Amino acid sequence: MSPPSHLRILCFGASITAGFHSSGLAHHPYAKRLTHRLQTSLPSTKIDVEIDALPGDRVIGGRYLERLTPHLHSTTSTGPASAKAATPRYDWIILQAGGNDLSNDQTPGATYTALQTLWHLCLSNGIKVLALAVTETSHHQNPRTRA
């Protein structure tokens, strides 16, 4: 199988996607390293990686769905307005979400259900999804947030 000529990726999430580390003293989005690694591995492929990260955002009661929806498709036009066809804007969306929900007392089950909604929305629009795991969210053992 030959590599694609163009690969479009959206890294979508909250503070982890924004690159939050060192207790917020520094930021280094993983998308930078991902872009470098993909360009090295696929030298004949044009790689476009974008980031949409809103630190503190939550899947339940937050703005994930509102932020994600505009990314799902772009309109390509080759003729009159009535002939415009919706095409996926990205080949992949890397979706990191759920940590802020769990740290704000949402249950793992409710968080998982909300994540499934986001994943389904991407997939139903022809975009592949890479779901990143929820990172550790607290230092204490809270039975409500343990999966």
Side-chain angles (χ1 to χ4, degrees), residues 10 64 77 83 93 116 120:
L10 173 65
Y64 263 84
S77 139
I93 291 181
Q116 286 179 308
H120 177 73

Side-chain angles (χ1 to χ4, degrees), residues 27-74:
H27 285 81
H28 185 82
Y30 68 82
K32 291 180 180 182
R33 182 73 173 151
L34 174 66
T35 302
H36 172 74
R37 295 296 298 257
L38 288 171
Q39 287 172 336
T40 301
S41 298
L42 303 166
S44 64
T45 300
K46 180 182 179 195
I47 307 290
D48 289 323
V49 178
E50 295 180 22
I51 303 169
D52 183 335
L54 180 62
D57 200 7
R58 290 176 288 160
V59 178
I60 301 170
R63 296 182 50 212
Y64 263 84
L65 186 58
E66 172 190 338
R67 290 173 40 230
L68 181 62
T69 302
H71 290 294
L72 296 177
H73 59 310
S74 58

